[in-house]
Amino acid sequence: MPMKGRGTAEYRTIDRWDGGVGWLAYPDEQMQRASHAVVGDDGGVWVFDPVDAPDLDDLFAEYGEVSGVVVGLDRHKRDAARVANRHDVPVYVADWMTGVADEINAPVERFGRRLGDSGFDAFTIKDSSLPPWQEVGFYHGESGTLFVPEAVGTAPYFRAPGERLGVHPMLRPLPPRRPLRRYDPERVLVGHGEGVQDDAGAALRTALSGARKNLPAAYGKVLRGMLS
């Protein structure tokens, strides 16, 4: 199983609900890079951290026209520019993020505590230089949808035994409890793996409370691989 898929992608849909859908562009890759298209309050589709794939626009069309493409993590530029240029919309980057906009070959729109007219509140999850990590989360109060690009995930290397949702291995010594524990979401969408749509608030609380003592299998091996 490759760490990251390459070549022609054949995406698989995940996290489908009335207000949006997610997909894994390379379902067999170890990283399980997940992307999402969510209907905003403006009636348009907001695309989060996309990895592109053939015929992906047909998936968006089920929900409406694309309003914007969003980068939620400094390392998640992925195919944001390609998707945005194809739909003639900007890439949205948090106004406090540095070193991201200059690497995006598309028009960039900055946002603060609100993501345009999407209805999503934006909040800082982590802003660190050591290790380099700039991550913004998003919460839509009316639908109870929480999107976390990297701090938590469901890919196997995120999860310890018994966890449906796990804190990123590099963040387990100091889990991001303060920015995340204020939410009791109906669903949690993540940047790696399928989301959690049943008892999502409980899964989030369990992940945050047990991050330090409940570790994924081969934790040290995974951590060394991420640091190399």
Side-chain angles (χ1 to χ4, degrees):
M1 180 184 297
M3 190 71 174
K4 183 185 294 187
R6 299 183 184 279
T8 302
E10 294 184 6
Y11 74 86
R12 174 169 65 85
T13 59
I14 57 173
D15 301 337
R16 189 183 286 274
W17 80 103
D18 289 345
V21 67
W23 69 95
L24 299 175
Y26 298 89
D28 295 329
E29 70 177 12
Q30 187 175 346
M31 291 184 70
Q32 294 189 16
R33 292 171 296 166
S35 313
H36 293 86
V38 181
V39 179
D41 288 355
D42 60 350
V45 176
W46 292 79
V47 183
F48 291 80
D49 291 357
V51 180
D52 203 7
D55 302 321
L56 192 59
D57 291 347
D58 294 340
L59 184 64
F60 300 160
E62 296 180 31
Y63 295 90
E65 295 186 3
V66 175
S67 291
V69 177
V70 188
V71 173
L73 179 77
D74 53 353
R75 301 186 298 276
H76 278 189
K77 292 177 283 292
R78 295 178 172 177
D79 296 319
R82 183 187 305 173
V83 173
N85 287 332
R86 198 161 66 228
H87 290 271
D88 195 25
V89 298
V91 176
Y92 285 74
V93 177
D95 55 14
W96 54 267
M97 279 187 171
T98 60
V100 177
D102 292 343
E103 297 182 6
I104 295 175
N105 188 23
V108 171
E109 185 83 19
R110 294 288 196 167
F111 64 88
R113 299 179 67 179
R114 296 279 288 181
L115 177 60
D117 296 323
S118 69
F120 276 87
D121 294 325
F123 61 98
T124 301
I125 296 176
K126 188 171 180 62
D127 182 12
S128 169
S129 58
L130 189 66
W133 196 305
Q134 298 178 84
E135 181 177 5
V136 57
F138 304 90
Y139 184 68
H140 191 276
E142 184 174 345
S143 67
T145 301
L146 176 66
F147 176 63
V148 182
E150 189 83 356
V152 298
T154 64
Y157 59 92
F158 275 81
R159 293 183 286 111
E163 290 183 339
R164 293 186 295 139
L165 182 70
V167 172
H168 191 287
M170 288 184 67
L171 298 185
R172 283 186 178 255
L174 292 172
R177 291 172 179 156
R178 181 174 294 179
L180 292 177
R181 65 185 176 187
R182 73 186 75 170
Y183 299 106
D184 186 21
E186 293 187 22
R187 69 182 54 81
V188 179
L189 308 178
V190 297
H192 294 274
E194 297 187 19
V196 177
Q197 303 214 48
D198 297 317
D199 295 324
L204 180 62
R205 290 189 294 273
T206 298
L208 294 173
S209 63
R212 293 182 181 179
K213 58 186 177 182
N214 194 19
L215 300 178
Y219 172 74
K221 181 179 179 181
V222 172
L223 190 57
R224 286 193 298 273
M226 290 179 174
L227 293 173
S228 61

PDB file of all heavy atoms in Angstrom, residues 50 58 79 82 112 124 140 163 167 194 204 216 218:
ATOM      1  N   PRO A  50      -8.951  19.877  -1.472  1.00  0.00           N
ATOM      2  CA  PRO A  50      -9.240  18.852  -2.485  1.00  0.00           C
ATOM      3  C   PRO A  50      -7.995  18.172  -3.061  1.00  0.00           C
ATOM      4  O   PRO A  50      -6.978  18.804  -3.323  1.00  0.00           O
ATOM      5  CB  PRO A  50      -9.943  19.652  -3.582  1.00  0.00           C
ATOM      6  CG  PRO A  50      -9.368  21.034  -3.470  1.00  0.00           C
ATOM      7  CD  PRO A  50      -9.164  21.244  -1.986  1.00  0.00           C
ATOM      8  N   ASP A  58     -18.510  16.265 -11.682  1.00  0.00           N
ATOM      9  CA  ASP A  58     -19.853  15.680 -11.679  1.00  0.00           C
ATOM     10  C   ASP A  58     -20.359  15.508 -10.247  1.00  0.00           C
ATOM     11  O   ASP A  58     -21.558  15.652  -9.986  1.00  0.00           O
ATOM     12  CB  ASP A  58     -19.845  14.319 -12.384  1.00  0.00           C
ATOM     13  CG  ASP A  58     -19.547  14.432 -13.870  1.00  0.00           C
ATOM     14  OD1 ASP A  58     -19.727  15.534 -14.420  1.00  0.00           O
ATOM     15  OD2 ASP A  58     -19.122  13.427 -14.462  1.00  0.00           O
ATOM     16  N   ASP A  79      -4.482  19.977  -4.513  1.00  0.00           N
ATOM     17  CA  ASP A  79      -4.878  20.418  -5.859  1.00  0.00           C
ATOM     18  C   ASP A  79      -5.842  21.594  -5.789  1.00  0.00           C
ATOM     19  O   ASP A  79      -6.692  21.768  -6.676  1.00  0.00           O
ATOM     20  CB  ASP A  79      -5.524  19.252  -6.618  1.00  0.00           C
ATOM     21  CG  ASP A  79      -4.554  18.111  -6.862  1.00  0.00           C
ATOM     22  OD1 ASP A  79      -3.387  18.394  -7.196  1.00  0.00           O
ATOM     23  OD2 ASP A  79      -4.954  16.948  -6.706  1.00  0.00           O
ATOM     24  N   ARG A  82      -5.764  23.951  -8.904  1.00  0.00           N
ATOM     25  CA  ARG A  82      -6.306  23.322 -10.114  1.00  0.00           C
ATOM     26  C   ARG A  82      -7.829  23.328 -10.075  1.00  0.00           C
ATOM     27  O   ARG A  82      -8.495  23.678 -11.063  1.00  0.00           O
ATOM     28  CB  ARG A  82      -5.777  21.897 -10.244  1.00  0.00           C
ATOM     29  CG  ARG A  82      -6.236  21.194 -11.518  1.00  0.00           C
ATOM     30  CD  ARG A  82      -5.825  19.728 -11.504  1.00  0.00           C
ATOM     31  NE  ARG A  82      -4.402  19.560 -11.291  1.00  0.00           N
ATOM     32  CZ  ARG A  82      -3.822  18.382 -11.108  1.00  0.00           C
ATOM     33  NH1 ARG A  82      -4.561  17.274 -11.075  1.00  0.00           N
ATOM     34  NH2 ARG A  82      -2.523  18.300 -10.929  1.00  0.00           N
ATOM     35  N   GLY A 112     -11.016  35.747   7.801  1.00  0.00           N
ATOM     36  CA  GLY A 112     -10.723  35.841   9.217  1.00  0.00           C
ATOM     37  C   GLY A 112     -11.511  34.823  10.014  1.00  0.00           C
ATOM     38  O   GLY A 112     -11.309  33.624   9.893  1.00  0.00           O
ATOM     39  N   THR A 124      -8.505  29.045  14.908  1.00  0.00           N
ATOM     40  CA  THR A 124      -7.145  28.521  14.849  1.00  0.00           C
ATOM     41  C   THR A 124      -7.034  27.265  15.708  1.00  0.00           C
ATOM     42  O   THR A 124      -7.355  27.282  16.894  1.00  0.00           O
ATOM     43  CB  THR A 124      -6.132  29.570  15.338  1.00  0.00           C
ATOM     44  OG1 THR A 124      -6.238  30.741  14.524  1.00  0.00           O
ATOM     45  CG2 THR A 124      -4.702  29.030  15.262  1.00  0.00           C
ATOM     46  N   HIS A 140     -19.855  24.784  11.409  1.00  0.00           N
ATOM     47  CA  HIS A 140     -21.138  25.300  10.942  1.00  0.00           C
ATOM     48  C   HIS A 140     -22.178  24.964  12.004  1.00  0.00           C
ATOM     49  O   HIS A 140     -22.569  23.796  12.160  1.00  0.00           O
ATOM     50  CB  HIS A 140     -21.496  24.677   9.602  1.00  0.00           C
ATOM     51  CG  HIS A 140     -22.656  25.326   8.910  1.00  0.00           C
ATOM     52  ND1 HIS A 140     -23.965  25.012   9.193  1.00  0.00           N
ATOM     53  CD2 HIS A 140     -22.705  26.303   7.965  1.00  0.00           C
ATOM     54  CE1 HIS A 140     -24.766  25.741   8.435  1.00  0.00           C
ATOM     55  NE2 HIS A 140     -24.030  26.535   7.685  1.00  0.00           N
ATOM     56  N   GLU A 163     -10.506   3.627  19.575  1.00  0.00           N
ATOM     57  CA  GLU A 163     -10.852   4.982  19.129  1.00  0.00           C
ATOM     58  C   GLU A 163     -11.517   4.944  17.756  1.00  0.00           C
ATOM     59  O   GLU A 163     -11.062   4.246  16.857  1.00  0.00           O
ATOM     60  CB  GLU A 163      -9.602   5.856  19.050  1.00  0.00           C
ATOM     61  CG  GLU A 163      -9.003   6.224  20.380  1.00  0.00           C
ATOM     62  CD  GLU A 163      -7.803   7.144  20.236  1.00  0.00           C
ATOM     63  OE1 GLU A 163      -7.182   7.186  19.146  1.00  0.00           O
ATOM     64  OE2 GLU A 163      -7.463   7.817  21.232  1.00  0.00           O
ATOM     65  N   VAL A 167      -6.229  11.612  17.721  1.00  0.00           N
ATOM     66  CA  VAL A 167      -5.375  12.791  17.586  1.00  0.00           C
ATOM     67  C   VAL A 167      -4.144  12.412  16.775  1.00  0.00           C
ATOM     68  O   VAL A 167      -3.603  11.309  16.906  1.00  0.00           O
ATOM     69  CB  VAL A 167      -4.975  13.325  18.978  1.00  0.00           C
ATOM     70  CG1 VAL A 167      -3.937  14.437  18.866  1.00  0.00           C
ATOM     71  CG2 VAL A 167      -6.209  13.820  19.724  1.00  0.00           C
ATOM     72  N   GLU A 194     -12.267   8.607   6.650  1.00  0.00           N
ATOM     73  CA  GLU A 194     -13.693   8.917   6.637  1.00  0.00           C
ATOM     74  C   GLU A 194     -14.070   9.685   7.896  1.00  0.00           C
ATOM     75  O   GLU A 194     -13.448   9.545   8.947  1.00  0.00           O
ATOM     76  CB  GLU A 194     -14.515   7.629   6.547  1.00  0.00           C
ATOM     77  CG  GLU A 194     -14.271   6.847   5.266  1.00  0.00           C
ATOM     78  CD  GLU A 194     -15.209   5.670   5.108  1.00  0.00           C
ATOM     79  OE1 GLU A 194     -16.267   5.660   5.785  1.00  0.00           O
ATOM     80  OE2 GLU A 194     -14.907   4.774   4.315  1.00  0.00           O
ATOM     81  N   LEU A 204     -15.074  12.780  19.608  1.00  0.00           N
ATOM     82  CA  LEU A 204     -14.097  13.857  19.719  1.00  0.00           C
ATOM     83  C   LEU A 204     -13.596  13.988  21.156  1.00  0.00           C
ATOM     84  O   LEU A 204     -12.387  14.119  21.391  1.00  0.00           O
ATOM     85  CB  LEU A 204     -14.715  15.168  19.242  1.00  0.00           C
ATOM     86  CG  LEU A 204     -13.814  16.403  19.294  1.00  0.00           C
ATOM     87  CD1 LEU A 204     -12.595  16.247  18.394  1.00  0.00           C
ATOM     88  CD2 LEU A 204     -14.609  17.663  18.884  1.00  0.00           C
ATOM     89  N   PRO A 216      -1.600   4.936  19.312  1.00  0.00           N
ATOM     90  CA  PRO A 216      -1.772   4.014  18.187  1.00  0.00           C
ATOM     91  C   PRO A 216      -0.703   2.929  18.194  1.00  0.00           C
ATOM     92  O   PRO A 216       0.381   3.105  18.750  1.00  0.00           O
ATOM     93  CB  PRO A 216      -1.613   4.930  16.959  1.00  0.00           C
ATOM     94  CG  PRO A 216      -1.824   6.312  17.459  1.00  0.00           C
ATOM     95  CD  PRO A 216      -1.353   6.309  18.881  1.00  0.00           C
ATOM     96  N   ALA A 218       2.368   0.835  16.972  1.00  0.00           N
ATOM     97  CA  ALA A 218       3.599   1.268  16.290  1.00  0.00           C
ATOM     98  C   ALA A 218       3.729   2.785  16.313  1.00  0.00           C
ATOM     99  O   ALA A 218       4.162   3.406  15.343  1.00  0.00           O
ATOM    100  CB  ALA A 218       3.636   0.745  14.860  1.00  0.00           C
TER     101      ALA A 218
END
